[in-house]
Amino acid sequence: MEKTKVVEALARLSTLSQSVIQSEKNSNNLVDLLEYLNCDENVPLLKAAIQTLAKVYSHLVSKHYSWIVPPSVRGAVKANPPRERGSDDLAGQYQKWMRDNYVFGLEKLQELTHHEHKEIQWTALCSLVSLVQVEGHTHQSTLKGYIYPNNLFHSIVSCLLDDDTNRGDLIGQFADEYLHYDDVRYYWLKNIASIISTKVDTMDSASVSDLFVKNCRTALRSVIMPSSEEELVEFLTGTPPGLSSRQQEAADDELEDEEKDEGPPKAKRSKRELKALTVRSLQKHRKQFSDAWLAFLRLPLGPSLRKHMLVSLHSEVIPNLMDPRLLLDFLTYSYDEGGVVGLLALNGLFLLMNQHHLDYPDFYNKLYQLLEPSVFHVKYMQRFFHLLDTFLQSTHLSMYLVAAFAKKIARLSLSAPPNAKNILGQFYCTCLQDLFLSLL
């Protein structure tokens, strides 16, 4: 497109947006604005069209929130492309037309998060998040209650967990820009768990793409969890009401009854309001974190991805789980597999035994079986012997068990490569020292 035509198009964009903002009589101009989202051949113009449409929608949501984004259609209903309205339309038809236009525009913005140009992807994503923010703030200011527009946000997360594209860069940008908001982080985890669970429950493991699994892992690893409830102070969509610990427990019980459809038909807070209160609870954040990671571990993880998971599981995941013992099946399955995978599962499994009182009687038998010549040829060799030394420091071990490990290590050292001799020598001396002290 020629430079002059681009300038003219940008000027027309500005004119159209101003006309819609100034008067509802110009609402038909929204159709023309949406047409500019199809100008794929010109990135600057397309970027300007996205930003302009987001600006217009923000104005309309702020002014007509109660009927332009009702809960039943907020980001969840598929709309037909809007048609121009005639002069004989009634108010109800006009409002429906505007709702359809808004939903259709959101769908177009979601499609543009898959555009071939990364700049367009990011602009469309930021525009969608800005509308999440506007919906939340407007609800709080007009209806005097907190709500997080999760239907729209769920569709955003779905776009980022794409089956066919590696979305690592876009997820990283999103995390840097938005995941420091506590409400965004909470619903980010909640939606990841929901999307993964739906896919696992409706598809066989062979149908789940590797790219989807990688995108989910990137999305989860981008989360930095707060360490105390006092840190939950930054919210994108407005500040939810705070509760005392006793009020929080009462709200949790009420929400549980609501979800089970139990309790007498008395005046209650709505389910939506109750869920909003949980955004300020660190325990609920940890629950969403746990649900998301446990759902992820149900996915078909390839050997390489499973190794990467096991390397960081003990430091990045286990400390933030509600009940780390729920990882028992995953870790024992990996440990029983032996080889490099079994070696990497050691740290997490020992952490569960040491800090969470997990009983695993075969731990040292399996550990003994890992002492094979192949252990000298993996890049985690030094890490393995460091962990082995830690495990054998336990005062509850018999000297016969420690002697058995020392004897096997002595045999292995006869055929060990040069780079392992120093590690084995130090380790063997430590074993002998422990044995000597146990005899005193």
Side-chain angles (χ1 to χ4, degrees):
M1 188 179 289
E2 297 178 5
K3 185 175 181 180
T4 304
K5 291 183 178 180
V6 173
V7 173
E8 291 175 356
L10 290 172
R12 177 161 170 71
L13 268 176
S14 178
T15 302
L16 288 171
S17 65
Q18 288 302 318
S19 68
V20 175
I21 290 172
Q22 289 170 2
S23 174
E24 293 181 17
K25 295 179 180 179
N26 300 317
S27 297
N28 279 333
N29 289 339
L30 281 170
V31 178
D32 297 328
L33 281 173
L34 285 168
E35 285 297 319
Y36 280 96
L37 297 184
N38 298 319
C39 56
D40 290 343
E41 71 280 358
N42 191 287
V43 173
L45 180 58
L46 180 55
K47 180 179 178 180
I50 293 170
Q51 293 170 332
T52 301
L53 187 67
K55 177 183 175 182
V56 172
Y57 280 158
S58 295
H59 168 78
L60 292 173
V61 169
S62 300
K63 189 175 181 181
H64 303 298
Y65 176 82
S66 61
W67 52 263
I68 199 171
V69 279
S72 60
V73 299
R74 187 173 299 135
V77 172
K78 292 285 184 181
N80 295 320
R83 296 189 296 262
E84 293 190 9
R85 61 189 179 95
S87 58
D88 59 341
D89 281 353
L90 300 175
Q93 292 175 307
Y94 168 69
Q95 293 177 4
K96 182 180 183 304
W97 181 86
M98 289 290 283
R99 285 197 298 268
D100 287 347
N101 187 292
Y102 179 63
V103 175
F104 180 73
L106 293 178
E107 291 171 358
K108 292 292 291 183
L109 291 175
Q110 290 165 28
E111 290 175 12
L112 288 170
T113 63
H114 297 86
H115 196 273
E116 59 181 335
H117 290 281
K118 293 186 181 297
E119 186 178 5
I120 296 301
Q121 294 177 13
W122 178 241
T123 304
L125 182 60
C126 289
S127 297
L128 287 166
V129 177
S130 72
L131 291 171
V132 170
Q133 183 178 29
V134 171
E135 284 191 19
H137 276 290
T138 305
H139 182 96
Q140 194 163 1
S141 61
T142 58
L143 302 182
K144 307 303 180 185
Y146 176 84
I147 190 174
Y148 190 89
N150 194 41
N151 284 343
L152 173 55
F153 189 62
H154 186 280
S155 65
I156 294 173
V157 180
S158 295
C159 289
L160 292 174
L161 302 182
D162 188 30
D163 283 8
D164 305 317
T165 315
N166 187 337
R167 310 286 273 176
D169 292 341
L170 193 60
I171 291 172
Q173 284 181 280
F174 177 88
D176 292 341
E177 187 71 22
Y178 296 111
L179 284 189
H180 60 90
Y181 292 109
D182 299 307
D183 50 352
V184 175
R185 184 196 315 111
Y186 179 90
Y187 283 97
W188 175 255
L189 292 167
K190 182 182 180 68
N191 291 326
I192 290 173
S194 172
I195 292 167
I196 294 176
S197 296
T198 300
K199 191 172 287 289
V200 170
D201 293 339
T202 57
M203 300 173 64
D204 58 81
S205 58
S207 302
V208 179
S209 72
D210 291 340
L211 285 173
F212 174 78
V213 177
K214 289 180 180 178
N215 289 335
C216 289
R217 177 176 179 267
T218 303
L220 287 172
R221 292 200 68 190
S222 65
V223 173
I224 299 175
M225 287 290 287
S227 57
S228 67
E229 212 150 273
E230 287 71 25
E231 296 178 29
L232 303 176
V233 293
E234 194 171 5
F235 303 95
L236 178 73
T237 58
T239 305
L243 296 175
S244 67
S245 58
R246 181 174 296 179
Q247 289 172 321
Q248 182 67 58
E249 290 178 7
D252 292 344
D253 293 340
E254 197 173 333
L255 178 58
E256 186 176 346
D257 290 343
E258 185 79 23
E259 289 176 340
K260 293 178 180 178
D261 200 19
E262 296 177 350
K266 59 185 180 180
K268 296 182 183 179
R269 287 169 288 201
S270 70
K271 184 176 179 180
R272 204 179 283 268
E273 289 176 318
L274 289 170
K275 286 184 176 180
L277 300 176
T278 65
V279 178
R280 297 190 71 163
S281 166
L282 179 61
Q283 184 180 14
K284 293 299 180 182
H285 277 260
R286 293 182 65 195
K287 182 181 184 304
Q288 298 303 334
F289 182 90
S290 301
D291 290 347
W293 273 105
L294 292 173
F296 175 75
L297 293 178
R298 293 173 61 197
L299 290 170
L301 307 180
S304 177
L305 187 56
R306 195 136 62 95
K307 290 175 187 175
H308 282 99
M309 279 290 306
L310 290 168
V311 167
S312 57
L313 199 66
H314 69 284
S315 58
E316 295 181 6
V317 180
I318 290 178
N320 292 307
L321 292 179
M322 288 284 287
D323 185 1
R325 291 172 296 180
L326 293 175
L327 291 177
L328 175 61
D329 289 342
F330 176 75
L331 287 171
T332 53
Y333 175 79
S334 300
Y335 191 46
D336 292 344
E337 187 173 322
V340 177
V341 173
L343 185 154
L344 293 174
L346 278 173
N347 217 345
L349 199 53
F350 186 75
L351 190 63
L352 294 187
M353 293 171 59
N354 194 36
Q355 296 185 10
H356 300 280
H357 313 296
L358 172 70
D359 185 24
Y360 187 53
D362 286 337
F363 179 79
Y364 284 96
N365 289 335
K366 297 286 186 183
L367 183 61
Y368 187 82
Q369 293 171 16
L370 287 176
L371 286 172
E372 297 292 339
S374 59
V375 79
F376 300 125
H377 304 288
V378 296
K379 63 179 180 179
Y380 306 106
M381 177 188 68
Q382 192 165 357
R383 175 192 179 114
F384 170 72
F385 280 101
H386 171 72
L387 289 173
L388 183 60
D389 182 55
T390 302
F391 303 151
L392 295 179
Q393 293 292 326
S394 174
T395 56
H396 300 289
L397 299 180
S398 67
M399 65 178 184
Y400 301 105
L401 181 63
V402 177
F405 275 91
K407 182 179 178 181
K408 188 162 188 179
I409 290 167
R411 285 202 307 267
L412 288 174
S413 64
L414 297 175
S415 58
N419 64 324
K421 297 285 187 181
N422 189 39
I423 297 174
L424 287 172
Q426 293 177 0
F427 185 83
Y428 192 67
C429 289
T430 303
C431 283
L432 291 177
Q433 184 179 3
D434 291 341
L435 285 170
F436 176 73
L437 292 174
S438 66
L439 295 173
L440 295 180

